[in-house]
């Protein structure tokens, strides 16, 4: 969603550039999902730490035959004396996709496994649950449907006395919910949201984390906005999620990560943001980001902190883009927050560029149309570090240029500071000579804003090779870029250098700049 700003934001040809940025951000989101899947954070999780006491065994898929899987099934089916050993072996075998398909293909196999899962022998019950966990982790959507009869029992056991067993059931539910809408619909009817609300208030940190994980799996669904999020709001889960956005709590950072993603999914669904703001989400997110920034600066942070920064920054950015009240609450901490974001931008540039991009995006939403944030950036002398990011690709350069455009749009005072306090013109000239059309287009827009507000800048830009850079662009293959370059030459440098006559239909042009961009993903 893009929030414009009335007559000041007259936009010609802006939509194309914004759509390109949105496409890149969707790809970045897919890349992040892949990274998170590898770390087993939000996609299906198989917590080996919950396994039984049996030793791990290496299973070689080529050696597992259907007959061997069938023998294990018969051993657990007929109640032989070695049923427990057979369950442990089956759990290991079910780590293989081929074996999973073999097992569920046997008649009544799931019902037999569920029967053992509901056994009154705790050790048998636990091993059967481990087998269900392996099946729930399958990437075959059909297997989640096969496991559907287990869901009422899984929900029932969430109120049990064993924290370890409750945690195990939550991960099974979360894995099953990720795969199929039919499973999610049945869980909703069976009261999964109310059950998760209770688990989120558990005194056991592992249970709280698993409950947040299971909820995040539900909230990622395409039908979440229509079916799941209303139920979450009705059950008043959001205050618990906001409270857990605290790495210093007894539940730790991983729980905060899962809660942050839950809140992001809720906010980006288009829910009434006033509700989330009134519950303290903006203040909690800002305080958390500031604390993480200080921890990184002091070297006391832990591995994986970037996976918390990302959803918190995205959540805060969307709230600011959609609600003016959110911005007023952030202003109280403007300096501390901007310092933290600057720390993230530079600290994760090489290792986790998706964090750098997200923090730059949040900076764009903070500075769009807001003179105080733009002024604070100058006071903290953050711009020189941001200008150094312009040579970077992958969307980082365009986000920096958008940030510069937001600042230049504030008028003469900010443009004078850009001219006097930074090396902005060498950076723009370098960008104008690149092959990235979106970066070139944005650089031209930033340049137009500065030159329109600050006539003295024309001489400085010309003296630093700017006219030569514009002359090269006049022969660019991209018509829009060519027309914009011609316009700048005609408006500001007509008496200083010749230009080619290719004004096209560029009548009454407005070199506009996207403001307060918000993505619902």
């Amino acid at each position: 969603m893009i929030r414009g700003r009335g007559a000041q934001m007259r936009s010609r040809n802006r939509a194309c550039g914004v759509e390109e940025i949105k496409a890149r951000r969707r790809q970045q989101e897919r890349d992040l999902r892949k990274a998170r899947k590898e770390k087993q954070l939000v996609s299906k999780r198989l917590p080996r730490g919950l396994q039984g006491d049996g030793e791990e065994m290496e299973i070689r898929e080529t050696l597992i035959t259907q007959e061997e899987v069938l023998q294990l099934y018969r051993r657990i089916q007929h109640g032989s004396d070695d049923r427990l050993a057979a369950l442990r072996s089956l759990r290991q075998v079910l780590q293989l996709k081929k074996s999973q398909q073999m097992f569920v293909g046997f008649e009544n196999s799931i019902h037999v496994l569920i029967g053992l899962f509901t056994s009154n022998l705790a050790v048998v019950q636990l091993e059967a649950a481990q087998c269900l966990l392996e099946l729930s982790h399958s990437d075959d959507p059909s297997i989640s449907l096969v496991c559907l009869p287990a869901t009422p029992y899984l929900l029932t056991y969430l109120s049990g006395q064993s924290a370890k067993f409750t945690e195990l059931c939550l991960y099974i539910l979360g894995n099953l919910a990720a795969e199929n809408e039919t499973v999610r619909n049945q869980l909703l009817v069976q009261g999964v949201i109310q059950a998760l609300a209770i688990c989120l208030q558990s005194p056991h940190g592992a249970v709280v984390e698993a409950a947040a994980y299971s909820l995040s799996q539900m909230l990622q669904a395409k039908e979440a906005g229509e079916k799941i999020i209303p139920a979450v709001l009705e059950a008043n889960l959001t205050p618990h999620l906001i409270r857990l956005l605290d790495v210093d709590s007894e539940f730790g950072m991983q729980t905060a990560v899962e809660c942050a993603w839950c809140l992001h999914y809720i906010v980006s669904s288009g829910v009434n943001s006033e509700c989330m703001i009134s519950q303290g989400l903006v203040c909690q997110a800002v305080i958390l980001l500031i604390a993480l920034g200080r921890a990184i600066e002091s070297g006391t942070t832990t591995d994986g902190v970037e996976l918390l920064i990302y959803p918190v920054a995205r959540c805060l950015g969307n709230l600011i883009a959609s609600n003016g009240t959110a911005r007023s609450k952030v202003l109280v901490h403007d300096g501390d927050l901007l310092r933290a974001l600057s720390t993230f931008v530079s600290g994760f540039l090489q290792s986790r560029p998706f964090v750098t991009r997200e923090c730059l995006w949040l900076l764009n939403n903070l500075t769009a149309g807001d003179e105080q944030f733009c002024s604070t950036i100058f006071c903290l002398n953050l711009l020189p570090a941001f200008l150094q990011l312009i040579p970077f690709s992958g969307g980082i350069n365009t986000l920096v240029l958008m940030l510069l455009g937001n600042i230049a749009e504030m008028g003469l005072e900010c443009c004078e500071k850009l001219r006097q306090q930074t090396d902005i013109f060498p950076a723009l000239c370098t960008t104008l000579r690149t092959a990235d059309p979106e970066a070139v287009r944005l650089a031209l827009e930033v340049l137009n804003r500065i030159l329109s507000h600050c006539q003295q800048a024309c001489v400085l830009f010309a003296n630093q090779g700017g006219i030569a850079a514009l002359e090269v662009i006049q022969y660019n293959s991209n018509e829009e870029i060519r027309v914009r370059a011609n316009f700048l030459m005609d408006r500001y440098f007509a008496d200083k250098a010749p230009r080619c006559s290719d004004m096209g239909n560029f009548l009454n042009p407005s070199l506009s700049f996207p403001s307060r961009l918000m993505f619902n993903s």
Side-chain angles (χ1 to χ4, degrees):
M1 176 179 175
I2 304 170
R3 291 174 58 85
R5 301 196 313 122
Q8 291 181 322
M9 293 303 299
R10 292 174 297 162
S11 64
R12 179 189 184 278
N13 301 320
R14 183 176 81 182
C16 178
V18 174
E19 286 304 317
E20 290 176 5
I21 296 173
K22 291 172 72 174
R24 278 201 296 270
R25 285 179 63 79
R26 285 192 290 269
Q27 181 58 49
Q28 292 161 11
E29 186 78 10
R30 286 191 290 269
D31 293 343
L32 180 71
R33 288 280 178 263
K34 180 180 178 182
R36 296 178 52 151
K37 184 174 183 179
E38 292 169 355
K39 291 180 176 292
Q40 297 180 345
L41 287 174
V42 163
S43 52
K44 290 191 172 185
R45 186 182 292 183
L46 192 62
R48 300 291 181 188
L50 290 176
Q51 305 250 336
D53 297 329
E55 295 182 359
E56 294 294 325
M57 56 183 283
E58 181 181 355
I59 301 293
R60 289 174 292 180
E61 189 162 1
T62 55
L63 299 182
I64 300 298
T65 66
Q66 184 166 348
E67 181 61 29
E68 289 172 319
V69 179
L70 180 59
Q71 287 301 320
L72 287 174
Y73 172 48
R74 286 172 176 169
R75 286 166 60 190
I76 68 170
Q77 182 182 25
H78 296 300
S80 58
D81 294 337
D82 63 343
R83 171 181 280 171
L84 186 59
L87 274 171
R88 287 172 175 164
S89 296
L90 179 63
R91 181 237 302 173
Q92 301 292 341
V93 168
L94 289 177
Q95 294 177 23
L96 303 175
K97 180 177 181 180
K98 181 179 177 182
S99 300
Q100 293 169 351
Q101 293 169 338
M102 290 177 186
F103 179 77
V104 299
F106 299 142
E107 186 177 1
N108 292 325
S109 57
I110 286 296
H111 293 285
V112 170
L113 191 57
I114 291 172
L116 297 174
F117 176 61
T118 57
S119 167
N120 56 5
L121 296 174
V123 65
V124 171
Q125 190 180 34
L126 181 61
E127 285 300 331
Q130 300 287 358
C131 291
L132 285 172
L133 179 64
E134 297 293 350
L135 288 173
S136 75
H137 196 254
S138 172
D139 58 5
D140 183 348
S142 65
I143 291 183
S144 63
L145 287 175
V146 172
C147 295
L148 199 57
T151 56
Y153 303 102
L154 289 164
L155 289 170
T156 298
Y157 288 135
L158 294 184
S159 58
Q161 298 300 312
S162 170
K164 179 178 179 180
F165 195 66
T166 299
E167 181 188 2
L168 182 55
C169 291
L170 284 166
Y171 281 119
I172 297 171
L173 284 168
N175 288 346
L176 293 177
E179 205 64 64
N180 197 288
E181 184 176 356
T182 301
V183 175
R184 292 189 293 269
N185 286 340
Q186 176 161 312
L187 287 172
L188 285 173
V189 172
Q190 293 170 341
V192 65
I193 301 301
Q194 292 75 14
L196 292 177
I198 295 172
C199 291
L200 283 172
Q201 301 174 66
S202 169
H204 303 285
V207 171
V208 175
E209 180 184 345
Y213 162 78
S214 188
L215 179 60
S216 74
Q217 296 291 69
M218 296 283 292
L219 291 171
Q220 289 183 71
K222 63 181 183 297
E223 76 277 8
E226 179 184 352
K227 298 180 180 179
I228 300 170
I229 291 176
V232 168
L233 296 176
E234 184 178 353
N236 203 30
L237 263 69
T238 48
H240 301 299
L241 296 171
I242 295 170
R243 172 179 56 85
L244 292 167
L245 284 185
D246 182 1
V247 291
D248 294 327
S249 76
E250 58 183 310
F251 301 123
M253 187 177 70
Q254 295 307 320
T255 299
V257 169
E258 298 298 348
C259 292
W261 280 105
C262 289
L263 290 165
H264 160 61
Y265 298 136
I266 293 171
V267 169
S268 65
S269 71
V271 68
N272 184 359
S273 55
E274 286 289 351
C275 169
M276 307 298 290
I277 295 169
S278 66
Q279 293 175 358
L281 176 54
V282 172
C283 293
Q284 190 78 357
V286 170
I287 291 170
L288 177 59
L289 289 174
I290 292 172
L292 293 175
R294 289 172 178 165
I296 291 174
E297 287 182 338
S298 65
T300 59
T301 187
T302 57
D303 290 339
V305 68
E306 71 277 3
L307 293 162
L308 177 56
I309 294 170
Y310 185 98
V312 174
R314 174 67 68 91
C315 191
L316 182 59
N318 278 349
L319 280 172
I320 290 169
S322 63
N323 192 290
T325 305
R327 178 179 296 274
S328 65
K329 292 183 177 295
V330 175
L331 282 171
V332 179
H333 307 279
D334 62 336
D336 291 333
L337 178 59
L338 290 177
R339 270 191 291 266
L341 293 176
S342 179
T343 297
F344 303 149
V345 165
S346 57
F348 293 104
L349 178 62
Q350 301 293 340
S351 61
R352 300 289 189 271
F354 64 84
V355 176
T356 295
R357 285 191 293 266
E358 196 59 41
C359 291
L360 286 170
W361 192 262
L362 175 53
L363 282 164
N364 267 283
N365 283 356
L366 289 169
T367 56
D370 195 291
E371 189 172 354
Q372 180 171 329
F373 272 107
C374 293
S375 177
T376 304
I377 283 180
F378 285 113
C379 292
L380 298 176
N381 196 31
L382 299 179
L383 275 178
F386 293 150
L387 287 176
Q388 294 178 11
L389 302 178
I390 288 182
F392 287 84
S393 58
I396 291 175
N397 53 354
T398 54
L399 287 167
V400 173
L401 290 165
M402 292 168 69
L403 174 62
L404 294 173
N406 281 348
I407 294 172
E409 192 179 333
M410 289 297 98
L412 175 60
E413 184 178 353
C414 282
C415 288
E416 284 283 2
K417 289 179 180 179
L418 281 173
R419 179 177 68 87
Q420 296 171 0
Q421 299 181 17
T422 70
D423 294 326
I424 189 168
F425 289 140
L428 290 178
C429 288
T430 299
T431 305
L432 292 176
R433 292 183 172 93
T434 64
D436 184 345
E438 180 62 14
V440 173
R441 189 185 71 81
L442 288 171
L444 289 169
E445 295 191 5
V446 173
L447 181 60
N448 179 64
R449 293 192 183 281
I450 296 174
L451 298 181
S452 66
H453 289 299
C454 183
Q455 293 299 319
Q456 298 93 327
C458 294
V459 176
L460 183 59
F461 178 72
N463 291 340
Q464 295 185 4
I467 293 178
L470 288 175
E471 287 177 336
V472 171
I473 298 176
Q474 286 179 299
Y475 301 95
N476 193 292
S477 60
N478 185 300
E479 181 181 1
E480 178 189 353
I481 290 174
R482 194 167 63 246
V483 169
R484 288 171 182 269
N486 283 332
F487 169 74
L488 292 179
M489 288 291 290
D490 183 64
R491 182 171 182 178
Y492 302 110
F493 307 106
D495 58 339
K496 296 180 176 62
R499 63 177 182 84
C500 62
S501 58
D502 184 15
M503 292 300 293
N505 295 319
F506 199 50
L507 302 176
N508 191 24
S510 175
L511 298 182
S512 59
F513 199 82
S515 173
R516 299 193 188 185
L517 298 172
M518 181 176 76
F519 286 84
N520 298 325
S521 58

